[in-house]
Amino acid sequence: MKKVRRIVALLTVILIVALVIGMFICAITGSEYFLGMLCLSFIVPVVLWVFMWFTRLVNGESETEPADRLRK
């Protein structure tokens, strides 16, 4: 599972970098797609974070200890 998580994280970073580069290119050229790229640069990382958080929640992989384990 760690290998899959690392691959997804790498793909996420590549996607975010591509969005930022595209946004800068649209800004420099004065393209009409600049505002869309700007919005995507904020929305895509948030959606990907929520997706990864939800899959971790569903699979039961938590980074914190459950409350019943702390009491023992």
Side-chain angles (χ1 to χ4, degrees):
M1 191 65 175
K2 283 187 177 183
K3 190 173 186 177
V4 173
R5 194 176 290 168
R6 286 185 183 189
I7 292 171
V8 171
L10 180 65
L11 291 175
T12 302
V13 169
I14 291 171
L15 179 64
I16 292 170
V17 168
L19 282 170
V20 170
I21 290 171
M23 182 184 62
F24 282 129
I25 290 172
C26 288
I28 292 170
T29 61
S31 175
E32 60 188 32
Y33 299 115
F34 171 71
L35 188 59
M37 293 294 283
L38 182 65
C39 291
L40 283 175
S41 294
F42 288 106
I43 293 171
V44 168
V46 171
V47 169
L48 290 173
W49 179 82
V50 168
F51 177 72
M52 288 189 287
W53 171 76
F54 186 72
T55 55
R56 197 173 348 147
L57 185 69
V58 169
N59 290 335
E61 299 173 7
S62 178
E63 295 176 358
T64 60
E65 291 290 325
D68 59 342
R69 281 183 136 182
L70 293 174
R71 292 183 188 145
K72 290 181 180 181

